[in-house]
Amino acid sequence: MSENTRLTVGDTAPHLELPDADGKTVSLSDYAGRKVIVYFYPAASTPGCTKQACDFRDNLAELEGQGIDVLGVSPDKPAKLAKFRDEQGLTFPLLSDPTKETLAAWGAFGEKKMYGKTVQGVIRSTFLVDEEGTIAAAQYNVRATGHVAKLRRDLGV
């Protein structure tokens, strides 16, 4: 897979329909009329991804209080996501994209720098999709630590 075009504010959110940790299909259209944070992360149960997921978990009540739902997406299979969810007490959907097609459509898979080398992989990215399905915020190459606090500041939540 090659570098994909990155999304910007005002773009229509790409199609998103993936199985969750229990194998149930979840679609972005299920959230029509609500704001949704869609975040893409490399791998469940790794230190950075665990920190980021727990950060979303710990801020979920405030986000939901502002009418914002959260969806996490990684290339992990549903069984691994279920284990991650249960171990960390995560209360928002984790979606499985092993083909990386959705990741690519959102510009969250492609070339990135890792330990000084250029590799193909998941680009840690976060988007806010508004009630009409439009990208209201697009952040690429985000840091796992402190990301949710920065996101809340940026969104005024």
Side-chain angles (χ1 to χ4, degrees):
M1 293 188 190
S2 61
E3 186 77 19
N4 290 285
T5 304
R6 292 191 167 188
L7 299 174
T8 58
V9 172
D11 287 347
T12 299
H15 179 74
L16 189 155
E17 186 173 74
L18 296 166
D20 68 7
D22 298 316
K24 177 181 161 260
T25 299
V26 175
S27 174
L28 190 58
S29 63
D30 297 341
Y31 295 87
R34 290 191 53 85
K35 294 178 186 169
V36 185
I37 289 172
V38 180
Y39 82 97
F40 295 89
Y41 60 100
S45 300
T46 57
C49 296
T50 299
K51 172 87 177 126
Q52 186 178 25
C54 291
D55 214 0
F56 274 113
R57 175 200 66 203
D58 296 346
N59 285 277
L60 195 59
E62 288 82 4
L63 291 167
E64 287 176 339
Q66 295 292 317
I68 302 171
D69 293 307
V70 174
L71 297 173
V73 182
S74 78
D76 299 305
K77 300 241 187 284
K80 185 175 180 187
L81 295 177
K83 183 176 184 218
F84 182 47
R85 175 197 61 204
D86 296 346
E87 286 175 349
Q88 301 304 326
L90 303 176
T91 54
F92 56 88
L94 299 176
L95 307 182
S96 171
D97 183 23
T99 66
K100 302 176 186 80
E101 288 176 21
T102 299
L103 285 150
W106 288 67
F109 188 87
E111 282 190 2
K112 65 179 189 174
K113 293 277 190 202
M114 199 157 115
Y115 306 113
K117 294 185 176 165
T118 300
V119 297
Q120 289 284 316
V122 176
I123 299 163
R124 193 181 302 274
S125 309
T126 302
F127 305 89
L128 177 66
V129 180
D130 71 14
E131 298 88 342
E132 286 80 42
T134 302
I135 301 294
Q139 300 178 350
Y140 289 93
N141 298 309
V142 301
R143 292 190 156 324
T145 303
H147 173 59
V148 177
K150 180 185 181 315
L151 185 63
R152 287 184 62 193
R153 280 192 308 275
D154 292 351
L155 300 177
V157 176

